[in-house]
Amino acid sequence: MNHLIVAPLLLPLLMGAIIVLAVNRSISLHRTLGLISSAVVTLITGVLLYQAMTGPIQMYVLGDWSPPFGIIMVLDRLSAMMIFITSLLAFLCLLYAVKGTDEQGKNFHALFQFQLLGINGAFLTGDIFNLFVFFEVMLLSSYGLVLHGGGARRTKAGMHYVMLNLVGSSVFLIGVGVLYGLLGSLNMADMAVRLASAPADNAALLQAGGLILFGVFALKAALIPLYFWLPNAYGFTSAPVAALFAVMTKVGVYVILRVYTLIFGDHAGVAANVLEPWLLPVALVTLVAGSIGVVASRDLRQTIAYMVVVSVGTLLAVIGTFSVDGIAAAIVYLPHTTFMTAAMFLVADMIRQQRLDAGAALTPDRPVGQERLLGLLFLGAAVAIGGLPPLSGFTAKVMMLMGVQAHAAAPWIWSLVLIGGLMGLIALGRAGSVIFWKTMPLDDSGVGAFSKEPHADIPRYGIGYSFPVLILLAISPLLVLFGGPLSDFGYAVAAQISQPVYYIEAVLGSDAVAALLSAGGY
Amino acid sequence: MELLFTSCLGVMIACGVYLMLRARTFPFVLGLTLLGYAVNMFLFVSGRLKTNLPAVVSPEQLQYTDPLPQALVLTAIVIGFAMVAFVVVLALRASGELGTDHVDGHKENNS
């Protein structure tokens, strides 16, 4: 058994606990511990990603209780990719946070480690009740992080986020209860095998259970009509947290992809493909609503938060075709959109701090202190996120549009994805012109009214401050340069996802696959 | 017994949802608690309702209740308890910062 699989969970858990114990020690100790933990987790997940790319699906059996009885962690290509993206993003966000954001509260670093534990756990687990537990770990730390720094707007937005997710957790338990009552198992691979031979009498309840779970995952992924919490929660929280949360909605996307290909896939007998009529239309409507929000919002951070909604809509519309090409293209788009949205949140925060009156609001203010640096960072992030050549947004979008060509709804997907992209460009172009061009005189009156010196209170960023953003932005040309291997990887992931027998064989052995096949699945 | 059990669950969920839709923090917490109880009881019966049977599988005992839902409920209760504690603290802080107990921060709304 490969013990490395459980390390991305144990290390943040241990480090988080140590930081909690050292709560009254200096913040530099917290920073050191947090950064070491995130860096090591990034390295470990990199190794795991390499193993998953080259080797078979691996399983970690906790406490050696053989499945389906115990809880298992499963490392396949999709989960390996997701934990690697999460860890790398978390490390970069933490690098940005140690420049001052983390001083606003005592427990930032501990919460950050537990957040990492929850997200990694949700990606790795192979048990649906354990998924609930990791969701709760993830949410409880995210509640703390959303509210980090305080303030009335943050509290109000955070309260909506917390309350909706608490109701969501209850609904999740109802869905799990229905499925357990009918199938008698919680191991996802075992549920798939049992569902294949479930009697037709239970069809309605099984389908209801599947769709109740979809409601919860849609809340996590921020699909319409369950995304209204997102723009305020992401827009008003502190920047490194918002940047890390760029991957939280992807947890919802991942779980939808996992559960509805593995448990409710083609082979699922009476509940086969239960989500297929729903996902594509819901995702497209989300895309439209998000695009409207992008052009309508009057605050740069909220614009970016709506872009998260647009990217979720795009991803799930492409996944909603449930074709190998579509899933592969979504896998290529996912790292791009996660990293670029995160970069944009950080750039917006740097802009906000240099605009003393307007902040991130899109109203004219005095020019920012470092126009050249911030202008170039904004331009880079906007080109990448808007999907213009030569950066990765363009290649990923082309691949998605090509991938869905064969589907009957292709005209809808094409037109809405392209219009969504156009709306994003308009909003970013307008934001850029207001922030950098439509500026007011440097000082209203008095001494230094016509000097070229910016306001004395404006913080100036050294290279260390913009380093995390530069790294995030540098990922975009890398994704283009290695586009060939990346799309091969996307197809390799999609091949594993669309053939759940590999997953089931790795978890339960070939007897279970034989049982699945004899149930008439294939 | 099934009828009694399910109608109790239904009443609890209905009351919980009604209280949560009041859009004030204190009724929301009460509603969440009721909903949490109902969900826990629901999870409990996913192993079927049986009386006077042990939750232990043993060779002498031919009949037993499913022990797994009981473990699940235990987990869910603990998590739910933590969540209620958190939301109470958050509600207190919100009423301090926003000056109202309405979840949207409306002050003039007296309904």
Side-chain angles (χ1 to χ4, degrees), chain A residues 51-338:
Chain A
Q51 287 180 359
M53 274 167 76
T54 49
I57 299 178
Q58 298 184 60
M59 173 176 69
Y60 188 85
V61 186
L62 289 162
D64 223 3
W65 284 82
S66 61
F69 298 108
I71 289 171
I72 53 165
M73 302 288 151
V74 181
L75 182 86
D76 69 346
R77 292 186 186 128
L78 180 64
S79 54
M81 180 186 88
M82 296 309 295
I83 54 171
F84 180 66
I85 292 177
T86 308
S87 313
L88 182 60
L89 182 66
F91 179 63
L92 293 170
C93 292
L94 203 56
L95 270 185
Y96 186 88
V98 298
K99 298 289 174 189
T101 320
D102 57 348
E103 286 166 355
Q104 295 164 355
K106 266 187 171 177
N107 289 310
F108 180 85
H109 286 280
L111 286 169
F112 201 91
Q113 293 301 316
F114 291 131
Q115 179 78 74
L116 198 54
L117 159 75
I119 300 180
N120 282 344
F123 285 140
L124 279 175
T125 185
D127 181 288
I128 202 151
F129 193 81
N130 196 231
L131 178 70
F132 164 77
V133 174
F134 276 121
F135 265 3
E136 294 307 304
V137 172
M138 178 177 93
L139 289 172
L140 198 49
S141 14
S142 78
Y143 300 156
L145 287 175
V146 159
L147 297 164
H148 174 74
R153 279 203 305 184
R154 213 168 269 181
T155 307
K156 202 176 112 186
M159 200 155 67
H160 292 169
Y161 174 69
V162 172
M163 287 175 164
L164 279 174
N165 274 300
L166 288 177
V167 178
S169 303
S170 305
V171 179
F172 193 158
L173 283 178
I174 292 178
V176 169
V178 170
L179 290 181
Y180 179 76
L182 296 172
L183 299 175
S185 182
L186 292 167
N187 181 300
M188 290 204 256
D190 195 32
M191 285 170 86
V193 175
R194 286 167 184 244
L195 188 56
S197 50
D201 304 351
N202 292 339
L205 267 176
L206 285 167
Q207 290 171 5
L211 289 176
I212 288 172
L213 286 183
F214 173 61
V216 184
F217 302 152
L219 174 69
K220 302 277 185 279
L223 279 176
I224 204 159
L226 298 168
Y227 77 87
F228 295 102
W229 55 272
L230 188 140
N232 284 340
Y234 282 32
F236 296 142
T237 188
S238 54
V241 174
L244 179 67
F245 282 11
V247 83
M248 287 259 285
T249 48
K250 308 303 182 289
V251 177
V253 174
Y254 163 84
V255 176
I256 288 175
L257 190 53
R258 171 70 78 213
V259 167
Y260 295 98
T261 53
L262 176 60
I263 303 180
F264 296 96
D266 293 330
H267 53 275
V270 292
N273 298 325
V274 67
L275 192 59
E276 211 167 314
W278 296 95
L279 188 57
L280 184 59
V282 171
L284 286 177
V285 179
T286 310
L287 183 52
V288 173
S291 306
I292 295 172
V294 165
V295 278
S297 50
R298 309 297 310 146
D299 184 291
L300 181 57
R301 289 179 300 171
Q302 240 176 342
T303 310
I304 308 163
Y306 273 112
M307 281 180 170
V308 175
V309 179
V310 172
S311 84
V312 165
T314 313
L315 268 174
L316 285 177
V318 176
I319 290 173
T321 61
F322 286 105
S323 63
V324 174
D325 289 332
I327 294 175
I331 297 301
V332 172
Y333 181 65
L334 200 147
H336 152 77
T337 182
T338 309

Side-chain angles (χ1 to χ4, degrees), chain A residues 136 150-151 155 160 166 180-181, chain B residues 46 48 66 83 93 97 103-104:
Chain A
E136 294 307 304
T155 307
H160 292 169
L166 288 177
Y180 179 76
Chain B
S46 66
R48 304 294 183 272
D66 190 346
M83 293 298 172
R93 181 166 149 178
E97 280 187 358
V103 294
D104 288 333

Side-chain angles (χ1 to χ4, degrees), chain A residues 7-8 11-12 36-46 87 113 116 120:
Chain A
L11 194 61
I36 288 175
S37 160
S38 305
V40 174
V41 170
T42 311
L43 285 179
I44 291 173
T45 51
S87 313
Q113 293 301 316
L116 198 54
N120 282 344

Side-chain angles (χ1 to χ4, degrees), chain A residues 404-460:
Chain A
V404 297
Q405 260 179 333
H407 196 266
W412 287 98
I413 304 177
W414 272 59
S415 49
L416 293 177
V417 166
L418 290 175
I419 292 174
L422 178 68
M423 292 297 167
L425 279 181
I426 291 174
L428 286 173
R430 203 181 51 189
S433 13
V434 169
I435 293 168
F436 295 105
W437 291 339
K438 203 172 167 187
T439 49
M440 300 199 301
L442 275 172
D443 247 319
D444 304 329
S445 58
V447 184
F450 297 101
S451 75
K452 294 285 178 201
E453 287 302 307
H455 201 283
D457 294 342
I458 288 179
R460 298 194 66 83

